Amino acid sequence: AQSVTQLDSQVPVFEEAPVELRCNYSSSVSVYLFWYVQYPNQGLQLLLKYLSGSTLVKGINGFEAEFNKSQTSFHLRKPSVHISDTAEYFCAVQETSGSRLTFGEGTQLTVNP
Amino acid sequence: EAGVTQFPSHSVIEKGQTVTLRCDPISGHDNLYWYRRVMGKEIKFLLHFVKESKQDESGMPNNRFLAERTGGTYSTLKVQPAELEDSGVYFCASSLSLGRGRRELFFGEGSRLTVL
């Protein structure tokens, strides 16, 4: 079984500031890692994913995440946020042999002017 | 190309009533999933269809929930009779085959269910 912990439920930041949303996971088997974003009144949208290879993964809208196997972490970062980045962000893991996603509880990112 | 569509977007029913949620996956996607988010908690897996067959229904909470996928196209999730704790947002997702590099699940906007 897997579990995902998003350490911050709410992250308020000012526009143009850097941000890091933290995600730790636990699994007894190999997993793939994902970040999804849900903008207000929209569905979940894939931000980025780590399947293999380089541990630094770049996604849409200037976001990136780094897979750290020893720390079992997959933190999401953006060097300069915009008001439009205000959304809820979900970290998720998926067994390499399976298909179901296990999600964290989500982090609400609020970007203030 | 149309994305995953869900209907209704919001349903308000009384305890004991029946509700049916519908999901239309992206055309050509054999894999269809139902997830649920209750009370701001994590999004939890309910079940997985491959075409019309239930591949994994280990996340279904109890026998008040019935999911079907007619002809491997759209899917319905029926809750009968609904209880207060069934309130939440029900997400549907679909995907292509799960070969390497094809791991993305495409989600719908969700159906919000409120049981009074």
Side-chain angles (χ1 to χ4, degrees), chain A residues 52 88 94 96 98 100-101, chain B residues 35 37 58 98 100 103 105:
Chain A
S52 66
E88 192 159 18
Q94 181 188 60
T96 57
R100 61 194 285 178
L101 291 168
Chain B
Y35 287 81
R37 190 181 192 198
S58 61
L98 297 175
R100 188 175 179 80
R103 286 283 169 166
L105 271 63

Side-chain angles (χ1 to χ4, degrees), chain A residues 94 97-101, chain B residues 29-35 44-60 67-69 75 77 91-98 103 105:
Chain A
Q94 181 188 60
S97 60
S99 63
R100 61 194 285 178
L101 291 168
Chain B
H29 282 196
D30 287 341
N31 295 279
L32 187 149
Y33 309 82
W34 284 98
Y35 287 81
K44 282 193 172 179
F45 169 85
L46 295 178
L47 87 160
H48 170 207
F49 284 99
V50 177
K51 298 185 179 179
E52 66 275 9
S53 299
K54 291 177 185 175
Q55 181 78 11
D56 180 359
E57 55 183 326
S58 61
M60 294 287 264
E68 294 178 324
R69 189 178 183 192
S75 174
L77 180 64
F91 291 101
C92 177
S94 70
S95 72
L96 289 165
S97 63
L98 297 175
R103 286 283 169 166
L105 271 63

Side-chain angles (χ1 to χ4, degrees), chain A residues 73-89:
Chain A
S73 68
F74 191 52
H75 300 332
L76 181 70
R77 302 187 188 101
K78 186 169 182 177
S80 176
V81 293
H82 302 290
I83 300 284
S84 59
D85 292 323
T86 294
E88 192 159 18
Y89 293 78

Side-chain angles (χ1 to χ4, degrees), chain B:
Chain B
E1 179 181 310
V4 176
T5 57
Q6 293 187 244
F7 181 83
S9 57
H10 192 186
S11 181
V12 181
I13 61 172
E14 293 190 350
K15 176 182 171 180
Q17 290 186 319
T18 298
V19 64
T20 300
L21 310 178
R22 173 171 169 146
C23 169
D24 286 80
I26 294 172
S27 177
H29 282 196
D30 287 341
N31 295 279
L32 187 149
Y33 309 82
W34 284 98
Y35 287 81
R36 178 174 74 169
R37 190 181 192 198
V38 174
M39 291 283 290
K41 305 294 284 183
E42 72 268 32
I43 301 167
K44 282 193 172 179
F45 169 85
L46 295 178
L47 87 160
H48 170 207
F49 284 99
V50 177
K51 298 185 179 179
E52 66 275 9
S53 299
K54 291 177 185 175
Q55 181 78 11
D56 180 359
E57 55 183 326
S58 61
M60 294 287 264
N62 52 61
N63 59 10
R64 295 185 293 103
F65 289 75
L66 175 64
E68 294 178 324
R69 189 178 183 192
T70 307
T73 55
Y74 70 91
S75 174
T76 57
L77 180 64
K78 180 190 286 188
V79 185
Q80 179 183 31
E83 298 289 343
L84 299 178
E85 64 264 26
D86 300 333
S87 296
V89 180
Y90 291 76
F91 291 101
C92 177
S94 70
S95 72
L96 289 165
S97 63
L98 297 175
R100 188 175 179 80
R102 289 185 145 187
R103 286 283 169 166
E104 181 176 357
L105 271 63
F106 295 82
F107 282 82
E109 293 185 4
S111 291
R112 181 175 295 277
L113 173 63
T114 302
V115 183
L116 303 176

